[in-house]
Amino acid sequence: MIGKWLFVVLVGLGGGLTVGAGFVAFLTVLGIIPRLMQLTKTQRFIQGYEAAVICGAVVGGWATLSPIHLHLSKWLTLPIGLLSGIFVGMLAAALTEVLNVLPILTKRIGMDGKIVLLLMAIVLGKVFGSLFHWLIYI
């Protein structure tokens, strides 16, 4: 029983660190918020942007961990799930494309020429993680 809970804690921490790192990379390295303020000429609302990002992260984290159920119909959840998946996939693809993360990562960990293995590890990790999340009830 303790091993099962320890595994869940490790998977949760790993997932949280991964999402947090992606979120920070998206906001800082790509400069999304400064670019948005520059395009909309709303630099005077910088504290509002900061508050929105922090509140969004906190409310999103709380909503993920809380036992609230919305009881939506499958016809309403289908497009929501589809759009959410598209958003996450495109965000991951954009980060990878813009930052050239995978080629740099393969060089740093000594896997030059084995980028396909790294991609398969990422894909299989995502598939098994999603299956674990949706099929295993703890």
Side-chain angles (χ1 to χ4, degrees), residues 4-29:
K4 185 177 180 181
W5 285 105
L6 184 61
F7 177 70
V8 170
V9 167
L10 288 175
V11 168
L13 283 174
L17 287 172
T18 303
V19 170
F23 185 67
V24 169
F26 181 69
L27 293 178
T28 58
V29 175

Side-chain angles (χ1 to χ4, degrees), residues 8-62:
V8 170
V9 167
L10 288 175
V11 168
L13 283 174
L17 287 172
T18 303
V19 170
F23 185 67
V24 169
F26 181 69
L27 293 178
T28 58
V29 175
L30 297 179
I32 299 300
I33 293 179
R35 182 73 176 135
L36 178 65
M37 288 188 300
Q38 181 183 14
L39 289 173
T40 59
K41 296 179 178 49
T42 56
Q43 289 88 353
R44 64 185 179 275
F45 298 118
I46 189 166
Q47 286 147 347
Y49 282 103
E50 291 172 352
V53 168
I54 292 168
C55 289
V58 169
V59 170
W62 174 80

Side-chain angles (χ1 to χ4, degrees), residues 2 9 18 20 27 32 41 61 65-66 83 91 93 98 106-107 109 112 114 125 131:
I2 292 175
V9 167
T18 303
L27 293 178
I32 299 300
K41 296 179 178 49
L65 298 173
S66 68
L83 292 174
L91 180 61
V98 171
T106 56
K107 288 179 185 174
I109 62 175
D112 286 341
K114 298 180 182 168
L131 289 173

